[in-house]
Amino acid sequence: MRIDILTLFPEMCGLYLNESVIGRARRAGKIQIECTNIRDYTKDKHRRVDDTPYGGGMGMIMQAQPVYDCYMDICAKLDLKPHLIYLTPQGKTLNQQRVKELAKMKNIALLCGHYEGMDERVIEELKPEEISVGDYVLTGGELPALILADAVSRLQPGVLSNEECFTEESHYNSLLEYPQYTRPYEWKGRKVPEVLITGHHANVEKWKREESLRRTYERRPDMLEKAELLPKDRIFFSHLK
């Protein structure tokens, strides 16, 4: 099995992947794990891969182009498209059943986000499986990617000394974030939602709230039990049903 990790911090990933069980398995050829630096694919002379978010907000957003080009280059080198997984708090929570299913694949690629998120359009374009390692927030996707890579690797033949090593083992605001966008305004025919470039603060905030509600309702309805919903939120939900 081969695992590709798309990251801004390949050295950080390497520190873990070269050690212990996974490190020994890599050296023995039981599992192949490669880390590719997304920054190598930026067209910015200063090697920037992020920009400020349309619609305002804290932090920076990873741009679509470097991420897209990084993944497509891996596809070209392998002459196939690895199953792409985006590590994000908005994904389905990882469990052992999904780990077992992923472990049967020959090629997977793990996309690590960073900063305050990633331009939504590259997610729409590449259509990755979205996986979360829990309902909490980290500074980037590297740790979740390492968790997934570790969990999948240890199920590969010969990685652990005995199959029983794994067959006998056990197992904030409560809304998902709205879609994020950054420059350019149009990418691969996809434009930033017009409301985000109007400068109308109230309309932008209304859009963000409704998109958060919509995403949570569609992807993680279980979280709504803990969310503090306003009367207007409940009216919004009534139109979704």
Side-chain angles (χ1 to χ4, degrees):
M1 181 183 197
R2 172 172 170 141
I3 301 173
D4 284 276
I5 300 179
L6 291 67
T7 172
L8 295 176
F9 301 97
E11 297 85 0
M12 183 177 80
C13 295
L15 288 173
Y16 178 83
L17 296 169
N18 290 330
E19 301 297 330
S20 189
V21 172
I22 304 305
R24 292 195 297 270
R26 292 178 73 195
R27 290 188 289 273
K30 306 296 184 181
I31 184 76
Q32 183 179 5
I33 306 178
E34 304 294 336
C35 299
T36 303
N37 194 337
I38 297 171
R39 198 177 299 276
D40 290 343
Y41 296 86
T42 181
K43 297 178 182 179
D44 182 87
K45 64 180 180 180
H46 302 294
R47 289 173 58 81
R48 287 184 55 180
V49 295
D50 63 327
D51 210 326
T52 54
Y54 279 110
M58 298 294 293
M60 306 290 279
I61 305 299
M62 286 181 66
Q63 296 174 306
Q65 173 266 315
V67 173
Y68 178 82
D69 288 353
C70 181
Y71 176 68
M72 296 310 295
D73 188 46
I74 291 173
C75 294
K77 289 176 179 177
L78 297 177
D79 197 25
L80 55 81
K81 284 191 173 185
H83 179 67
L84 182 61
I85 298 170
Y86 175 38
L87 286 308
T88 167
Q90 301 193 23
K92 291 184 178 180
T93 304
L94 182 66
N95 56 36
Q96 189 64 21
Q97 179 57 38
R98 188 56 185 149
V99 169
K100 290 164 62 177
E101 294 166 353
L102 293 171
K104 297 177 182 179
M105 298 182 179
K106 291 185 177 181
N107 299 83
I108 63 174
L110 309 179
L111 175 57
C112 305
H114 215 75
Y115 309 117
E116 290 301 313
M118 190 173 297
D119 192 307
E120 183 72 13
R121 291 168 293 185
V122 72
I123 299 171
E124 293 173 347
E125 180 71 22
L126 296 178
K127 298 179 175 62
E129 177 182 0
E130 299 186 21
I131 288 182
S132 167
V133 296
D135 294 338
Y136 49 88
V137 179
L138 300 171
T139 56
E142 284 73 23
L143 288 176
L146 292 173
I147 289 172
L148 181 50
D150 184 297
V152 169
S153 295
R154 63 201 310 279
L155 298 186
Q156 300 305 308
V159 172
L160 299 182
S161 58
N162 192 307
E163 187 176 329
E164 291 182 359
C165 292
F166 58 81
T167 59
E168 294 185 359
E169 290 177 338
S170 312
H171 5 31
Y172 163 104
N173 173 342
S174 293
L175 293 174
L176 298 179
E177 193 176 28
Y178 49 82
Q180 296 271 20
Y181 303 86
T182 188
R183 296 179 181 86
Y185 166 69
E186 183 172 351
W187 183 77
K188 287 190 172 294
R190 292 181 168 88
K191 298 180 180 180
V192 174
E194 289 297 319
V195 64
L196 298 181
I197 61 173
T198 61
H200 195 296
H201 180 74
N203 286 348
V204 169
E205 293 306 307
K206 179 175 182 291
W207 181 88
K208 290 180 178 180
R209 178 69 178 183
E210 291 182 349
E211 288 303 306
S212 289
L213 293 168
R214 187 193 314 278
R215 283 204 161 185
T216 308
Y217 175 81
E218 293 174 347
R219 303 184 182 191
R220 291 294 306 277
D222 57 292
M223 294 174 61
L224 294 174
E225 296 178 4
K226 298 179 290 183
E228 295 182 9
L229 300 178
L230 305 173
K232 62 181 180 181
D233 295 335
R234 300 186 186 280
I235 294 174
F236 176 77
F237 280 130
S238 69
H239 294 298
L240 292 179
K241 299 177 181 179

